[in-house]
Every structure is written in structure tokens, then in C-alpha cells.
Amino acid sequence: MQTIGTPMLWGVFALVVIGALLVDLVLMRHGGPHKVTFKEATWWSLCWVALALAFNAWLWWYAGQQYGADAGQRIGMEFLTGYLVEKALAVDNIFVFLMLFSYFAVPEQQRQRVLVIGIVGAIFLRAILIFAGALLLARFHWVLYVFGAFLLFTGIKMWRAAGAPPSLEGNPLLRWVTGHLPFLRRYHGSALWLGKGSRRKFTPLFIVLVMIAITDVIFAVDSIPAIFAITEDPFIVLTSNVFAVLGLRAMFFLLQGMADRFHLLPYGLALVLVFIGGKMLLMGVYKIPVLVALAVVAAIIGTTVVLSLRRPPPASAAAKD
């Protein structure tokens, strides 16, 4: 398994992530449970993006000093492309989180706490999946083609499902969780459960947290192979993935009031998965440069966002008429 990840690089990354999470948690605790405003979410989103880009710039410079300018540029572009892909695919997580919060009527004041716990859990789960994937690729390189075919299939499936009204009714995961855990029907502040031992009963907040964790693992199965199409270095895969996940909470509050306006974005995400899956399947014939992959992904996401804003969803158009 080849990687640029030295103990020093892993240490710097860990310090940055732990420091950022601690600052986030301290400020959240200081502010107390409250409804996050659009302005607050915007500032936090910009801070998380700035932190990711600052780390990207530092990694680009450091790699350039250690391995030469060309290698530094390649590594910097791989991180940036991986970050953009993961950030784009994270929007799909946001749509599902919105559906979960709406279905369980999660109080606005408790949404921050659920998302923070979910994000911390997602970082650990994704780290396990990424290292498992890297070990698998180091031993069986043909697995890349399996990943490519899976992403191609997932992209086509996502395209067909785009535009269909989302629903949790009859969801097998939700039915299993609620059927196997004794839970209360009412919220009790920020408590995840009440009672001890056999008398313990879980609150709806705990059910939402479990569903968010399961949902993130399911999405990670799509997004992690997508980054392996860009680079097989576990350090770049993990760092770009984690920095994208760190901004998930702020992105949720930024988009929760505008989700309907980006109605064409699922089509764009589907095209991104199809493109990356095709890129993986063609690796033995032609290796698409990282800069080209970055440009294609950015163009697809940018185009679908602009078209979504210029063409209102059918419901909005009908309402205006």
C-alpha cells in the first residue's frame, strides 16, 4: 500500500481535525441548544471550506518540497478533486437527513447535537471502510473494476430515482430499528434514553441518530469508491473525505430551507457517479488526468445547480400559475 502519509502528516491531520471539532463543540455548548440561523450556517460553512482549502494548500506545498513540484501538484489536485466529489455527494446525505428530521419531527434545538454526534461517528466508520478498501486494493487491484461497475450501476439507479417523492414509509431499516428497540413516542429534551438495564427505553432522538449513522454508512459505500477512482493513497482518500464530512452540519442548516430549489442536483450527482465509474472501468485503457476529472465534476455540479435555480421545480411552477 503506497501512501505519502508519514507519521508527521498523520499527526498534523489528526491535530487539525481534533482541534476543529473541539472548537466546534465548545462554541456549540457555549451557545446552548438553539435554532441555527441561515447567517450562522453560512459563516460556519465558509469556515469549514476555508479550513479544507488551507490544508489542501499546505499539503500541496509540503508535497512539492518533499517530492518535487510535479508530485506536489498531482497530490494537491487529487485532494481537491476528492474533496469536491465527496462534498457534492454529501448533498444527498443532507436530503435524507432533512427527511429523517421531518419524519420524526426533531425539535430545531436538538438537530445540532444529533448532527455533531453523527459526524463524529461517521469519521470513525469511514476511516475503517477506507483502510479496509485500501488493503483490499493493495492485494487485489482488480477490485477497482468492481468499484467502477458498482458506481456505474448506482449512478444509473440514482438517475432513475431522481425526481421521485422521497418517503420513509415502509423503509426496512427504519422498520427493523423501531421493531427491535423499545422506544418512547415523545422527546425528553436532549436525552437519548431513559431508565437503566431492562427498563431502558430509547427516545426518538436516539432512533434518528441510529438512522443517520446507518444512512452515512450506506452513502459511504458509494462515495468512498468514488475517491479511490481519483487516488489510491489512503492518506489523501481519508483526509479529503473527513474534511468534506466535517462541514456536513453547517451545510445541512445552510440548505435545509433551500433543498427544493436544487431539485435537479440528484441528476447531477448521478452523472458524477456514472463519470467516475466509467473512469475506473477505463483505467486499463486510458487514465483520465486528475485535472480533467476535477473540471468535469465541477462542470456537472455547477450546471445542475444553475439549471435548478433557473428552472423552478414543477410544484413551484404550478403554484405560481
Side-chain angles (χ1 to χ4, degrees):
M1 189 195 313
Q2 292 185 341
T3 177
I4 63 165
T6 62
M8 191 275 284
L9 279 177
W10 283 113
V12 170
F13 168 64
L15 285 174
V16 171
V17 171
I18 293 171
L21 282 173
L22 286 175
V23 170
D24 193 20
L25 290 170
V26 167
L27 290 176
M28 188 181 73
R29 187 179 182 86
H30 178 73
H34 66 284
K35 181 178 179 179
V36 178
T37 64
F38 181 80
K39 182 179 179 181
E40 182 183 348
T42 302
W43 278 111
W44 270 113
S45 294
L46 291 173
C47 286
W48 286 120
V49 171
L51 181 65
L53 293 179
F55 183 84
N56 187 194
W58 176 80
L59 181 63
W60 192 323
W61 172 82
Y62 177 83
Q65 294 293 311
Q66 296 293 317
Y67 311 111
D70 290 342
Q73 181 180 7
R74 176 183 57 79
I75 290 166
M77 293 302 294
E78 286 176 349
F79 177 94
L80 184 60
T81 306
Y83 174 74
L84 179 62
V85 168
E86 189 59 40
K87 200 74 172 171
L89 294 175
V91 175
D92 224 19
N93 292 46
I94 299 295
F95 293 153
V96 176
F97 293 170
L98 282 168
M99 188 166 54
L100 282 169
F101 285 160
S102 175
Y103 183 84
F104 284 96
V106 179
E108 290 278 355
Q109 293 79 5
Q110 300 301 334
R111 295 185 177 189
Q112 277 204 87
R113 183 166 183 259
V114 173
L115 286 170
V116 168
I117 296 173
I119 287 168
V120 173
I123 289 173
F124 284 105
L125 289 172
R126 284 172 182 248
I128 294 169
L129 289 173
I130 285 169
F131 283 117
L135 287 171
L136 198 62
L137 286 175
R139 191 163 186 179
F140 308 105
H141 197 264
W142 54 264
V143 172
L144 269 177
Y145 296 101
V146 177
F147 284 171
F150 175 73
L151 289 176
L152 197 64
F153 170 77
T154 304
I156 294 170
K157 187 178 177 182
M158 185 184 287
W159 179 278
R160 290 178 175 174
S167 175
L168 284 174
E169 296 295 338
N171 183 284
L173 284 174
L174 179 59
R175 195 165 57 238
W176 188 92
V177 170
T178 54
H180 287 74
L181 293 177
F183 72 101
L184 303 163
R185 299 286 176 179
R186 294 174 56 192
Y187 287 93
H188 293 265
S190 59
L192 296 175
W193 59 76
L194 296 176
K196 295 182 179 179
S198 59
R199 294 186 176 181
R200 176 175 295 169
K201 289 191 175 182
F202 298 94
T203 66
L205 209 59
F206 181 82
I207 304 297
V208 173
L209 190 59
V210 170
M211 288 300 296
I212 283 178
I214 294 172
T215 299
D216 188 75
V217 171
I218 293 170
F219 278 113
V221 172
D222 290 341
S223 63
I224 290 174
I227 300 185
F228 274 116
I230 297 159
T231 176
E232 296 176 35
D233 189 321
F235 180 80
I236 301 174
V237 173
L238 182 62
T239 52
S240 59
N241 205 288
V242 168
F243 274 107
V245 171
L246 282 174
L248 206 57
R249 178 175 67 89
M251 190 191 294
F252 171 85
F253 291 109
L254 186 66
L255 296 178
Q256 67 173 340
M258 303 188 297
D260 292 338
R261 297 185 65 184
F262 298 109
H263 60 288
L264 297 178
L265 194 54
Y267 293 100
L269 298 179
L271 288 176
V272 168
L273 288 179
V274 168
F275 168 72
I276 293 174
K279 179 181 183 296
M280 294 180 90
L281 292 174
L282 291 172
M283 285 182 73
V285 180
Y286 176 71
K287 192 169 184 179
I288 299 174
V290 177
L291 188 59
V292 174
L294 175 62
V296 171
V297 171
I300 292 172
I301 299 302
T303 301
T304 50
V305 168
V306 171
L307 288 176
S308 293
L309 295 174
R310 296 189 65 176
R311 293 179 61 185
S316 299
K320 287 181 181 179
D321 293 336

